[in-house]
Amino acid sequence: MRLFMSYRRTEPVVRAAAKAGMSAASAYRLLKDARPPSQRKEPRGRRCPDPLEGIFEEEVVPLLEAAPGLRPIAVYEELRRRHPDEAFGSRRTLERRIRSWRALHGPDREVIFRQVHEPGRLGLSDFTAMGGLGIIVAGAPLDHMLYHFRLPCGGFEHAHVILGGESFVALAEGLQNALWSAGGAPRLHRTDSLSADFRNLEADARADLTRRYEALCAHYGMEPTRNNTGVAHENGAIESAHAHIKAALGDALLLRGSSAFDTLADYRRFIDEVVIARNRRHAAAIDAERASLLRLPDTRTCDYEEVLVTVTSSGGFTLRKVFYTVPSRLVGHRLRVRLYDDRLDLFIGGTRLMTLRRGRSGDRGKHGHVVDYRHVIHSLRRKPMALMGLVYRDSLFPRTAYRAMFDHMVEVLGDRAACRVMVELLSLAHERACEAELASLLEADLAARRIPDMAALRSHFAPDPADLPMVVVQLGSLACYDSLIVPGEAA
């Protein structure tokens, strides 16, 4: 416009417009009114009556001032209750009006301050639920969480499958695996993972967990920190990463074509492959941060809880609302149990006895059972009817085929005969080490609605005489022993 007005001083309108690069019509409009179009345009008024007139200022605003956190849907329902016969607009209209009012008159909101992350300074730990991926292990849905560790500066990540909930044991195991995988430790470690442990615990138990967490961090030279309860964005550098790693796992499952795994070890290996691929993208930054990490100690510290239990006459012990069976020769003995997230290591004195799979209690505090039929089958053979009312009967059957066959036999043979035959089947599976093969035969019998033939099964799994080795023992001559006598030392 300035250029046109400059040319207009000496040129006609059309020529000045051409030199200024505008049309003649635009030039004549400028001469008529030099204001820009945004200032000449009259504000558009309402095209229809305001549906909230006489309601918003008189009723809605007092509600918002009295309860600043009130949701728009609650205000909408309250207006419908107060004015059932009036049409005061749609819910969306009310939401827009409330949003505009809060922008002008609402309370101040919390501000998030983005942080600069220094190399080697901070490591973050958190747990995230994994139910949305629909993971299946050994034919059953896997109820689990993922322990997630991250160094926000370089982008290093580590993930560890957790079968139980958030606990100190899960944190200690996952954190140590992460530090040794990273090749060093940060100066600060932040987590909110202990909040679940602290809930519903006595003061002494909370203090004990705090001491153990501090001792774990001190072993690696880290300063322990925890973010404020309920303030998730203080852990934002890992909270936001949860969505990214789960999205990467979801994509990898789609490319794999299945979310089913044969064993838990296969699933853990799958998690490791995805995380390693993600770390490979930040390899240069991770390598640069490693130089600033603290040196690792010579050994790991404990990542388990140690508990003393007594084996009862029931052939096992109860720990954390779960009953575990052990060999009956241990009845009456006190065992030292090292409690990990996924297993139990049993010791008697300093001697390691065995490792058991860790069980979990059921919903609403219902007791769980981890039962090995081999531990009790010898006693069950003397009292087969005990199987019918056994508390952990369903957990006693090693495979689904055994449980289904027992239900079928109860229906066909009755309780007493069904218990006797099932105990014999379990005894055969134990003595002949044929649990899987016997289960296949039972599945065939179930498909044909047959009762197992114990005589045929014993014959089928009996040792074949042709396979037995021929052992020939040759006795030496008694005169051979004379060569062992040293001359001059004869008695």
Side-chain angles (χ1 to χ4, degrees), residues 390-425:
L390 192 59
V391 172
Y392 52 79
R393 186 185 68 197
D394 290 341
S395 301
L396 181 70
F397 299 123
R399 297 172 186 264
T400 305
Y402 292 85
R403 183 183 300 108
M405 178 56 73
F406 179 72
D407 295 337
H408 174 60
M409 290 191 298
V410 169
E411 180 182 346
V412 175
L413 302 178
D415 295 352
R416 183 174 295 276
C419 290
R420 179 175 52 80
V421 176
M422 180 49 63
V423 169
E424 290 302 317
L425 288 172

PDB file of all heavy atoms in Angstrom, residues 390-425:
ATOM      1  N   LEU A 390      -9.303 -83.133  48.350  1.00  0.00           N
ATOM      2  CA  LEU A 390      -8.013 -82.493  48.575  1.00  0.00           C
ATOM      3  C   LEU A 390      -8.099 -80.994  48.253  1.00  0.00           C
ATOM      4  O   LEU A 390      -8.629 -80.583  47.217  1.00  0.00           O
ATOM      5  CB  LEU A 390      -6.951 -83.153  47.694  1.00  0.00           C
ATOM      6  CG  LEU A 390      -5.486 -82.817  47.993  1.00  0.00           C
ATOM      7  CD1 LEU A 390      -5.113 -83.205  49.414  1.00  0.00           C
ATOM      8  CD2 LEU A 390      -4.574 -83.523  46.998  1.00  0.00           C
ATOM      9  N   VAL A 391      -7.579 -80.177  49.156  1.00  0.00           N
ATOM     10  CA  VAL A 391      -7.654 -78.728  48.992  1.00  0.00           C
ATOM     11  C   VAL A 391      -6.991 -78.283  47.698  1.00  0.00           C
ATOM     12  O   VAL A 391      -7.508 -77.408  46.987  1.00  0.00           O
ATOM     13  CB  VAL A 391      -6.998 -78.028  50.202  1.00  0.00           C
ATOM     14  CG1 VAL A 391      -6.890 -76.528  49.970  1.00  0.00           C
ATOM     15  CG2 VAL A 391      -7.777 -78.319  51.466  1.00  0.00           C
ATOM     16  N   TYR A 392      -5.855 -78.863  47.376  1.00  0.00           N
ATOM     17  CA  TYR A 392      -5.111 -78.445  46.188  1.00  0.00           C
ATOM     18  C   TYR A 392      -5.229 -79.471  45.064  1.00  0.00           C
ATOM     19  O   TYR A 392      -4.317 -79.638  44.261  1.00  0.00           O
ATOM     20  CB  TYR A 392      -3.642 -78.204  46.529  1.00  0.00           C
ATOM     21  CG  TYR A 392      -2.946 -79.336  47.252  1.00  0.00           C
ATOM     22  CD1 TYR A 392      -2.486 -80.458  46.566  1.00  0.00           C
ATOM     23  CD2 TYR A 392      -2.709 -79.277  48.622  1.00  0.00           C
ATOM     24  CE1 TYR A 392      -1.832 -81.484  47.210  1.00  0.00           C
ATOM     25  CE2 TYR A 392      -2.053 -80.294  49.282  1.00  0.00           C
ATOM     26  CZ  TYR A 392      -1.619 -81.399  48.570  1.00  0.00           C
ATOM     27  OH  TYR A 392      -0.962 -82.423  49.211  1.00  0.00           O
ATOM     28  N   ARG A 393      -6.396 -80.136  44.963  1.00  0.00           N
ATOM     29  CA  ARG A 393      -6.557 -81.209  43.968  1.00  0.00           C
ATOM     30  C   ARG A 393      -6.319 -80.711  42.541  1.00  0.00           C
ATOM     31  O   ARG A 393      -5.613 -81.345  41.761  1.00  0.00           O
ATOM     32  CB  ARG A 393      -7.952 -81.808  44.072  1.00  0.00           C
ATOM     33  CG  ARG A 393      -8.156 -83.029  43.156  1.00  0.00           C
ATOM     34  CD  ARG A 393      -9.583 -83.516  43.206  1.00  0.00           C
ATOM     35  NE  ARG A 393     -10.491 -82.540  42.600  1.00  0.00           N
ATOM     36  CZ  ARG A 393     -11.807 -82.542  42.784  1.00  0.00           C
ATOM     37  NH1 ARG A 393     -12.362 -83.421  43.612  1.00  0.00           N
ATOM     38  NH2 ARG A 393     -12.566 -81.654  42.188  1.00  0.00           N
ATOM     39  N   ASP A 394      -6.902 -79.559  42.179  1.00  0.00           N
ATOM     40  CA  ASP A 394      -6.745 -79.074  40.805  1.00  0.00           C
ATOM     41  C   ASP A 394      -5.295 -78.736  40.487  1.00  0.00           C
ATOM     42  O   ASP A 394      -4.865 -78.868  39.335  1.00  0.00           O
ATOM     43  CB  ASP A 394      -7.625 -77.837  40.589  1.00  0.00           C
ATOM     44  CG  ASP A 394      -9.107 -78.184  40.578  1.00  0.00           C
ATOM     45  OD1 ASP A 394      -9.424 -79.378  40.364  1.00  0.00           O
ATOM     46  OD2 ASP A 394      -9.936 -77.286  40.787  1.00  0.00           O
ATOM     47  N   SER A 395      -4.540 -78.304  41.500  1.00  0.00           N
ATOM     48  CA  SER A 395      -3.130 -77.993  41.270  1.00  0.00           C
ATOM     49  C   SER A 395      -2.267 -79.243  41.254  1.00  0.00           C
ATOM     50  O   SER A 395      -1.102 -79.185  40.813  1.00  0.00           O
ATOM     51  CB  SER A 395      -2.625 -77.038  42.361  1.00  0.00           C
ATOM     52  OG  SER A 395      -3.370 -75.840  42.376  1.00  0.00           O
ATOM     53  N   LEU A 396      -2.793 -80.365  41.727  1.00  0.00           N
ATOM     54  CA  LEU A 396      -2.020 -81.604  41.780  1.00  0.00           C
ATOM     55  C   LEU A 396      -1.813 -82.193  40.394  1.00  0.00           C
ATOM     56  O   LEU A 396      -0.769 -82.789  40.112  1.00  0.00           O
ATOM     57  CB  LEU A 396      -2.734 -82.616  42.678  1.00  0.00           C
ATOM     58  CG  LEU A 396      -2.050 -83.972  42.881  1.00  0.00           C
ATOM     59  CD1 LEU A 396      -0.802 -83.815  43.726  1.00  0.00           C
ATOM     60  CD2 LEU A 396      -3.002 -84.965  43.526  1.00  0.00           C
ATOM     61  N   PHE A 397      -2.796 -82.024  39.499  1.00  0.00           N
ATOM     62  CA  PHE A 397      -2.701 -82.628  38.175  1.00  0.00           C
ATOM     63  C   PHE A 397      -1.654 -81.877  37.352  1.00  0.00           C
ATOM     64  O   PHE A 397      -1.726 -80.658  37.184  1.00  0.00           O
ATOM     65  CB  PHE A 397      -4.054 -82.575  37.462  1.00  0.00           C
ATOM     66  CG  PHE A 397      -5.130 -83.325  38.192  1.00  0.00           C
ATOM     67  CD1 PHE A 397      -6.293 -82.676  38.575  1.00  0.00           C
ATOM     68  CD2 PHE A 397      -4.984 -84.656  38.499  1.00  0.00           C
ATOM     69  CE1 PHE A 397      -7.295 -83.347  39.246  1.00  0.00           C
ATOM     70  CE2 PHE A 397      -5.977 -85.343  39.180  1.00  0.00           C
ATOM     71  CZ  PHE A 397      -7.131 -84.698  39.558  1.00  0.00           C
ATOM     72  N   PRO A 398      -0.665 -82.593  36.796  1.00  0.00           N
ATOM     73  CA  PRO A 398       0.429 -81.912  36.100  1.00  0.00           C
ATOM     74  C   PRO A 398       0.033 -81.358  34.738  1.00  0.00           C
ATOM     75  O   PRO A 398       0.664 -80.430  34.245  1.00  0.00           O
ATOM     76  CB  PRO A 398       1.489 -83.002  35.952  1.00  0.00           C
ATOM     77  CG  PRO A 398       0.715 -84.290  35.975  1.00  0.00           C
ATOM     78  CD  PRO A 398      -0.445 -84.053  36.883  1.00  0.00           C
ATOM     79  N   ARG A 399      -1.021 -81.924  34.107  1.00  0.00           N
ATOM     80  CA  ARG A 399      -1.453 -81.461  32.791  1.00  0.00           C
ATOM     81  C   ARG A 399      -2.976 -81.484  32.710  1.00  0.00           C
ATOM     82  O   ARG A 399      -3.652 -82.169  33.497  1.00  0.00           O
ATOM     83  CB  ARG A 399      -0.849 -82.325  31.668  1.00  0.00           C
ATOM     84  CG  ARG A 399       0.680 -82.246  31.607  1.00  0.00           C
ATOM     85  CD  ARG A 399       1.245 -83.249  30.624  1.00  0.00           C
ATOM     86  NE  ARG A 399       2.709 -83.249  30.693  1.00  0.00           N
ATOM     87  CZ  ARG A 399       3.496 -82.563  29.886  1.00  0.00           C
ATOM     88  NH1 ARG A 399       2.959 -81.816  28.913  1.00  0.00           N
ATOM     89  NH2 ARG A 399       4.807 -82.611  30.004  1.00  0.00           N
ATOM     90  N   THR A 400      -3.491 -80.759  31.740  1.00  0.00           N
ATOM     91  CA  THR A 400      -4.944 -80.646  31.599  1.00  0.00           C
ATOM     92  C   THR A 400      -5.589 -81.996  31.346  1.00  0.00           C
ATOM     93  O   THR A 400      -6.705 -82.261  31.806  1.00  0.00           O
ATOM     94  CB  THR A 400      -5.276 -79.678  30.445  1.00  0.00           C
ATOM     95  OG1 THR A 400      -4.626 -78.432  30.671  1.00  0.00           O
ATOM     96  CG2 THR A 400      -6.775 -79.444  30.350  1.00  0.00           C
ATOM     97  N   ALA A 401      -4.907 -82.872  30.620  1.00  0.00           N
ATOM     98  CA  ALA A 401      -5.489 -84.176  30.286  1.00  0.00           C
ATOM     99  C   ALA A 401      -5.781 -84.992  31.544  1.00  0.00           C
ATOM    100  O   ALA A 401      -6.797 -85.707  31.609  1.00  0.00           O
ATOM    101  CB  ALA A 401      -4.547 -84.950  29.368  1.00  0.00           C
ATOM    102  N   TYR A 402      -4.942 -84.900  32.558  1.00  0.00           N
ATOM    103  CA  TYR A 402      -5.164 -85.634  33.801  1.00  0.00           C
ATOM    104  C   TYR A 402      -6.411 -85.107  34.512  1.00  0.00           C
ATOM    105  O   TYR A 402      -7.227 -85.893  35.020  1.00  0.00           O
ATOM    106  CB  TYR A 402      -3.945 -85.509  34.711  1.00  0.00           C
ATOM    107  CG  TYR A 402      -2.714 -86.221  34.193  1.00  0.00           C
ATOM    108  CD1 TYR A 402      -1.856 -85.605  33.297  1.00  0.00           C
ATOM    109  CD2 TYR A 402      -2.404 -87.518  34.603  1.00  0.00           C
ATOM    110  CE1 TYR A 402      -0.729 -86.246  32.821  1.00  0.00           C
ATOM    111  CE2 TYR A 402      -1.268 -88.173  34.145  1.00  0.00           C
ATOM    112  CZ  TYR A 402      -0.437 -87.527  33.244  1.00  0.00           C
ATOM    113  OH  TYR A 402       0.686 -88.172  32.772  1.00  0.00           O
ATOM    114  N   ARG A 403      -6.552 -83.796  34.562  1.00  0.00           N
ATOM    115  CA  ARG A 403      -7.720 -83.216  35.236  1.00  0.00           C
ATOM    116  C   ARG A 403      -9.007 -83.594  34.499  1.00  0.00           C
ATOM    117  O   ARG A 403     -10.009 -83.957  35.114  1.00  0.00           O
ATOM    118  CB  ARG A 403      -7.572 -81.698  35.296  1.00  0.00           C
ATOM    119  CG  ARG A 403      -8.705 -81.005  36.041  1.00  0.00           C
ATOM    120  CD  ARG A 403      -8.569 -79.494  36.021  1.00  0.00           C
ATOM    121  NE  ARG A 403      -7.333 -79.061  36.647  1.00  0.00           N
ATOM    122  CZ  ARG A 403      -6.296 -78.568  35.997  1.00  0.00           C
ATOM    123  NH1 ARG A 403      -6.342 -78.458  34.674  1.00  0.00           N
ATOM    124  NH2 ARG A 403      -5.210 -78.193  36.633  1.00  0.00           N
ATOM    125  N   ALA A 404      -8.976 -83.518  33.164  1.00  0.00           N
ATOM    126  CA  ALA A 404     -10.168 -83.853  32.389  1.00  0.00           C
ATOM    127  C   ALA A 404     -10.525 -85.329  32.525  1.00  0.00           C
ATOM    128  O   ALA A 404     -11.705 -85.685  32.616  1.00  0.00           O
ATOM    129  CB  ALA A 404      -9.948 -83.490  30.920  1.00  0.00           C
ATOM    130  N   MET A 405      -9.505 -86.194  32.567  1.00  0.00           N
ATOM    131  CA  MET A 405      -9.774 -87.620  32.728  1.00  0.00           C
ATOM    132  C   MET A 405     -10.361 -87.920  34.092  1.00  0.00           C
ATOM    133  O   MET A 405     -11.268 -88.770  34.225  1.00  0.00           O
ATOM    134  CB  MET A 405      -8.483 -88.418  32.498  1.00  0.00           C
ATOM    135  CG  MET A 405      -8.652 -89.924  32.697  1.00  0.00           C
ATOM    136  SD  MET A 405      -9.957 -90.653  31.665  1.00  0.00           S
ATOM    137  CE  MET A 405      -9.165 -90.599  30.049  1.00  0.00           C
ATOM    138  N   PHE A 406      -9.904 -87.232  35.126  1.00  0.00           N
ATOM    139  CA  PHE A 406     -10.471 -87.459  36.458  1.00  0.00           C
ATOM    140  C   PHE A 406     -11.939 -87.061  36.493  1.00  0.00           C
ATOM    141  O   PHE A 406     -12.776 -87.802  37.039  1.00  0.00           O
ATOM    142  CB  PHE A 406      -9.680 -86.662  37.499  1.00  0.00           C
ATOM    143  CG  PHE A 406     -10.201 -86.819  38.895  1.00  0.00           C
ATOM    144  CD1 PHE A 406     -10.026 -88.001  39.597  1.00  0.00           C
ATOM    145  CD2 PHE A 406     -10.886 -85.783  39.521  1.00  0.00           C
ATOM    146  CE1 PHE A 406     -10.515 -88.159  40.880  1.00  0.00           C
ATOM    147  CE2 PHE A 406     -11.375 -85.921  40.806  1.00  0.00           C
ATOM    148  CZ  PHE A 406     -11.190 -87.116  41.485  1.00  0.00           C
ATOM    149  N   ASP A 407     -12.288 -85.930  35.914  1.00  0.00           N
ATOM    150  CA  ASP A 407     -13.693 -85.521  35.873  1.00  0.00           C
ATOM    151  C   ASP A 407     -14.533 -86.532  35.104  1.00  0.00           C
ATOM    152  O   ASP A 407     -15.670 -86.839  35.493  1.00  0.00           O
ATOM    153  CB  ASP A 407     -13.818 -84.134  35.224  1.00  0.00           C
ATOM    154  CG  ASP A 407     -13.158 -83.043  36.047  1.00  0.00           C
ATOM    155  OD1 ASP A 407     -12.994 -83.250  37.267  1.00  0.00           O
ATOM    156  OD2 ASP A 407     -12.797 -81.989  35.470  1.00  0.00           O
ATOM    157  N   HIS A 408     -13.982 -87.057  34.014  1.00  0.00           N
ATOM    158  CA  HIS A 408     -14.708 -88.059  33.225  1.00  0.00           C
ATOM    159  C   HIS A 408     -14.914 -89.349  34.021  1.00  0.00           C
ATOM    160  O   HIS A 408     -16.009 -89.937  34.000  1.00  0.00           O
ATOM    161  CB  HIS A 408     -13.930 -88.347  31.939  1.00  0.00           C
ATOM    162  CG  HIS A 408     -14.489 -89.459  31.121  1.00  0.00           C
ATOM    163  ND1 HIS A 408     -15.765 -89.452  30.594  1.00  0.00           N
ATOM    164  CD2 HIS A 408     -13.945 -90.656  30.746  1.00  0.00           C
ATOM    165  CE1 HIS A 408     -15.986 -90.565  29.930  1.00  0.00           C
ATOM    166  NE2 HIS A 408     -14.895 -91.311  30.001  1.00  0.00           N
ATOM    167  N   MET A 409     -13.878 -89.771  34.752  1.00  0.00           N
ATOM    168  CA  MET A 409     -13.997 -91.017  35.509  1.00  0.00           C
ATOM    169  C   MET A 409     -14.959 -90.866  36.684  1.00  0.00           C
ATOM    170  O   MET A 409     -15.674 -91.812  37.038  1.00  0.00           O
ATOM    171  CB  MET A 409     -12.618 -91.471  35.997  1.00  0.00           C
ATOM    172  CG  MET A 409     -11.712 -91.966  34.871  1.00  0.00           C
ATOM    173  SD  MET A 409     -10.206 -92.791  35.451  1.00  0.00           S
ATOM    174  CE  MET A 409      -9.418 -91.458  36.335  1.00  0.00           C
ATOM    175  N   VAL A 410     -14.988 -89.687  37.326  1.00  0.00           N
ATOM    176  CA  VAL A 410     -15.955 -89.466  38.399  1.00  0.00           C
ATOM    177  C   VAL A 410     -17.374 -89.599  37.870  1.00  0.00           C
ATOM    178  O   VAL A 410     -18.256 -90.180  38.514  1.00  0.00           O
ATOM    179  CB  VAL A 410     -15.732 -88.072  39.028  1.00  0.00           C
ATOM    180  CG1 VAL A 410     -16.892 -87.702  39.952  1.00  0.00           C
ATOM    181  CG2 VAL A 410     -14.426 -88.044  39.807  1.00  0.00           C
ATOM    182  N   GLU A 411     -17.601 -89.095  36.682  1.00  0.00           N
ATOM    183  CA  GLU A 411     -18.935 -89.164  36.083  1.00  0.00           C
ATOM    184  C   GLU A 411     -19.311 -90.587  35.709  1.00  0.00           C
ATOM    185  O   GLU A 411     -20.473 -90.990  35.856  1.00  0.00           O
ATOM    186  CB  GLU A 411     -18.961 -88.264  34.842  1.00  0.00           C
ATOM    187  CG  GLU A 411     -20.290 -88.235  34.130  1.00  0.00           C
ATOM    188  CD  GLU A 411     -20.241 -87.367  32.888  1.00  0.00           C
ATOM    189  OE1 GLU A 411     -19.271 -86.601  32.733  1.00  0.00           O
ATOM    190  OE2 GLU A 411     -21.176 -87.452  32.077  1.00  0.00           O
ATOM    191  N   VAL A 412     -18.329 -91.398  35.245  1.00  0.00           N
ATOM    192  CA  VAL A 412     -18.621 -92.746  34.752  1.00  0.00           C
ATOM    193  C   VAL A 412     -18.484 -93.798  35.852  1.00  0.00           C
ATOM    194  O   VAL A 412     -19.353 -94.667  36.015  1.00  0.00           O
ATOM    195  CB  VAL A 412     -17.698 -93.087  33.562  1.00  0.00           C
ATOM    196  CG1 VAL A 412     -17.914 -94.531  33.116  1.00  0.00           C
ATOM    197  CG2 VAL A 412     -17.943 -92.127  32.412  1.00  0.00           C
ATOM    198  N   LEU A 413     -17.393 -93.729  36.638  1.00  0.00           N
ATOM    199  CA  LEU A 413     -17.089 -94.787  37.598  1.00  0.00           C
ATOM    200  C   LEU A 413     -17.543 -94.479  39.019  1.00  0.00           C
ATOM    201  O   LEU A 413     -17.678 -95.399  39.830  1.00  0.00           O
ATOM    202  CB  LEU A 413     -15.575 -95.051  37.619  1.00  0.00           C
ATOM    203  CG  LEU A 413     -14.923 -95.462  36.288  1.00  0.00           C
ATOM    204  CD1 LEU A 413     -13.427 -95.622  36.486  1.00  0.00           C
ATOM    205  CD2 LEU A 413     -15.545 -96.739  35.755  1.00  0.00           C
ATOM    206  N   GLY A 414     -17.717 -93.215  39.347  1.00  0.00           N
ATOM    207  CA  GLY A 414     -17.990 -92.854  40.729  1.00  0.00           C
ATOM    208  C   GLY A 414     -16.726 -92.382  41.428  1.00  0.00           C
ATOM    209  O   GLY A 414     -15.604 -92.550  40.932  1.00  0.00           O
ATOM    210  N   ASP A 415     -16.905 -91.825  42.626  1.00  0.00           N
ATOM    211  CA  ASP A 415     -15.794 -91.195  43.322  1.00  0.00           C
ATOM    212  C   ASP A 415     -14.683 -92.167  43.683  1.00  0.00           C
ATOM    213  O   ASP A 415     -13.507 -91.927  43.418  1.00  0.00           O
ATOM    214  CB  ASP A 415     -16.307 -90.508  44.592  1.00  0.00           C
ATOM    215  CG  ASP A 415     -17.248 -89.358  44.275  1.00  0.00           C
ATOM    216  OD1 ASP A 415     -17.377 -89.010  43.091  1.00  0.00           O
ATOM    217  OD2 ASP A 415     -17.857 -88.819  45.228  1.00  0.00           O
ATOM    218  N   ARG A 416     -15.031 -93.291  44.303  1.00  0.00           N
ATOM    219  CA  ARG A 416     -14.011 -94.198  44.833  1.00  0.00           C
ATOM    220  C   ARG A 416     -13.145 -94.784  43.732  1.00  0.00           C
ATOM    221  O   ARG A 416     -11.911 -94.734  43.789  1.00  0.00           O
ATOM    222  CB  ARG A 416     -14.683 -95.317  45.631  1.00  0.00           C
ATOM    223  CG  ARG A 416     -13.693 -96.282  46.300  1.00  0.00           C
ATOM    224  CD  ARG A 416     -14.426 -97.274  47.186  1.00  0.00           C
ATOM    225  NE  ARG A 416     -15.074 -96.596  48.302  1.00  0.00           N
ATOM    226  CZ  ARG A 416     -14.460 -96.282  49.439  1.00  0.00           C
ATOM    227  NH1 ARG A 416     -13.172 -96.555  49.613  1.00  0.00           N
ATOM    228  NH2 ARG A 416     -15.124 -95.667  50.404  1.00  0.00           N
ATOM    229  N   ALA A 417     -13.761 -95.319  42.688  1.00  0.00           N
ATOM    230  CA  ALA A 417     -12.997 -95.923  41.605  1.00  0.00           C
ATOM    231  C   ALA A 417     -12.196 -94.870  40.840  1.00  0.00           C
ATOM    232  O   ALA A 417     -11.053 -95.120  40.427  1.00  0.00           O
ATOM    233  CB  ALA A 417     -13.935 -96.665  40.654  1.00  0.00           C
ATOM    234  N   ALA A 418     -12.775 -93.684  40.671  1.00  0.00           N
ATOM    235  CA  ALA A 418     -12.068 -92.624  39.949  1.00  0.00           C
ATOM    236  C   ALA A 418     -10.803 -92.215  40.701  1.00  0.00           C
ATOM    237  O   ALA A 418      -9.743 -92.017  40.095  1.00  0.00           O
ATOM    238  CB  ALA A 418     -12.982 -91.424  39.749  1.00  0.00           C
ATOM    239  N   CYS A 419     -10.894 -92.078  42.026  1.00  0.00           N
ATOM    240  CA  CYS A 419      -9.716 -91.716  42.817  1.00  0.00           C
ATOM    241  C   CYS A 419      -8.647 -92.788  42.726  1.00  0.00           C
ATOM    242  O   CYS A 419      -7.450 -92.481  42.578  1.00  0.00           O
ATOM    243  CB  CYS A 419     -10.115 -91.476  44.270  1.00  0.00           C
ATOM    244  SG  CYS A 419     -11.093 -89.985  44.539  1.00  0.00           S
ATOM    245  N   ARG A 420      -9.059 -94.045  42.810  1.00  0.00           N
ATOM    246  CA  ARG A 420      -8.081 -95.132  42.778  1.00  0.00           C
ATOM    247  C   ARG A 420      -7.347 -95.168  41.438  1.00  0.00           C
ATOM    248  O   ARG A 420      -6.117 -95.284  41.389  1.00  0.00           O
ATOM    249  CB  ARG A 420      -8.787 -96.464  43.034  1.00  0.00           C
ATOM    250  CG  ARG A 420      -7.864 -97.692  42.999  1.00  0.00           C
ATOM    251  CD  ARG A 420      -8.621 -98.959  43.372  1.00  0.00           C
ATOM    252  NE  ARG A 420      -9.821 -99.108  42.583  1.00  0.00           N
ATOM    253  CZ  ARG A 420      -9.842 -99.589  41.320  1.00  0.00           C
ATOM    254  NH1 ARG A 420      -8.697 -99.921  40.727  1.00  0.00           N
ATOM    255  NH2 ARG A 420     -10.974 -99.721  40.673  1.00  0.00           N
ATOM    256  N   VAL A 421      -8.094 -95.087  40.328  1.00  0.00           N
ATOM    257  CA  VAL A 421      -7.459 -95.149  39.004  1.00  0.00           C
ATOM    258  C   VAL A 421      -6.569 -93.926  38.770  1.00  0.00           C
ATOM    259  O   VAL A 421      -5.467 -94.031  38.236  1.00  0.00           O
ATOM    260  CB  VAL A 421      -8.535 -95.261  37.907  1.00  0.00           C
ATOM    261  CG1 VAL A 421      -7.885 -95.220  36.518  1.00  0.00           C
ATOM    262  CG2 VAL A 421      -9.325 -96.554  38.071  1.00  0.00           C
ATOM    263  N   MET A 422      -7.034 -92.737  39.186  1.00  0.00           N
ATOM    264  CA  MET A 422      -6.232 -91.530  38.951  1.00  0.00           C
ATOM    265  C   MET A 422      -4.935 -91.567  39.735  1.00  0.00           C
ATOM    266  O   MET A 422      -3.873 -91.159  39.239  1.00  0.00           O
ATOM    267  CB  MET A 422      -7.045 -90.288  39.314  1.00  0.00           C
ATOM    268  CG  MET A 422      -6.303 -88.975  39.116  1.00  0.00           C
ATOM    269  SD  MET A 422      -5.474 -88.794  37.502  1.00  0.00           S
ATOM    270  CE  MET A 422      -6.902 -88.849  36.402  1.00  0.00           C
ATOM    271  N   VAL A 423      -4.974 -92.051  40.981  1.00  0.00           N
ATOM    272  CA  VAL A 423      -3.743 -92.159  41.758  1.00  0.00           C
ATOM    273  C   VAL A 423      -2.778 -93.120  41.091  1.00  0.00           C
ATOM    274  O   VAL A 423      -1.560 -92.884  41.050  1.00  0.00           O
ATOM    275  CB  VAL A 423      -4.066 -92.592  43.199  1.00  0.00           C
ATOM    276  CG1 VAL A 423      -2.795 -92.972  43.955  1.00  0.00           C
ATOM    277  CG2 VAL A 423      -4.793 -91.479  43.939  1.00  0.00           C
ATOM    278  N   GLU A 424      -3.289 -94.207  40.528  1.00  0.00           N
ATOM    279  CA  GLU A 424      -2.427 -95.153  39.817  1.00  0.00           C
ATOM    280  C   GLU A 424      -1.826 -94.509  38.566  1.00  0.00           C
ATOM    281  O   GLU A 424      -0.674 -94.762  38.218  1.00  0.00           O
ATOM    282  CB  GLU A 424      -3.211 -96.406  39.450  1.00  0.00           C
ATOM    283  CG  GLU A 424      -3.588 -97.277  40.632  1.00  0.00           C
ATOM    284  CD  GLU A 424      -2.354 -97.736  41.411  1.00  0.00           C
ATOM    285  OE1 GLU A 424      -1.357 -98.118  40.759  1.00  0.00           O
ATOM    286  OE2 GLU A 424      -2.390 -97.683  42.651  1.00  0.00           O
ATOM    287  N   LEU A 425      -2.614 -93.680  37.878  1.00  0.00           N
ATOM    288  CA  LEU A 425      -2.084 -92.998  36.699  1.00  0.00           C
ATOM    289  C   LEU A 425      -0.949 -92.037  37.081  1.00  0.00           C
ATOM    290  O   LEU A 425       0.089 -91.977  36.409  1.00  0.00           O
ATOM    291  CB  LEU A 425      -3.208 -92.230  36.009  1.00  0.00           C
ATOM    292  CG  LEU A 425      -4.245 -93.065  35.261  1.00  0.00           C
ATOM    293  CD1 LEU A 425      -5.406 -92.178  34.808  1.00  0.00           C
ATOM    294  CD2 LEU A 425      -3.621 -93.763  34.056  1.00  0.00           C
TER     295      LEU A 425
END
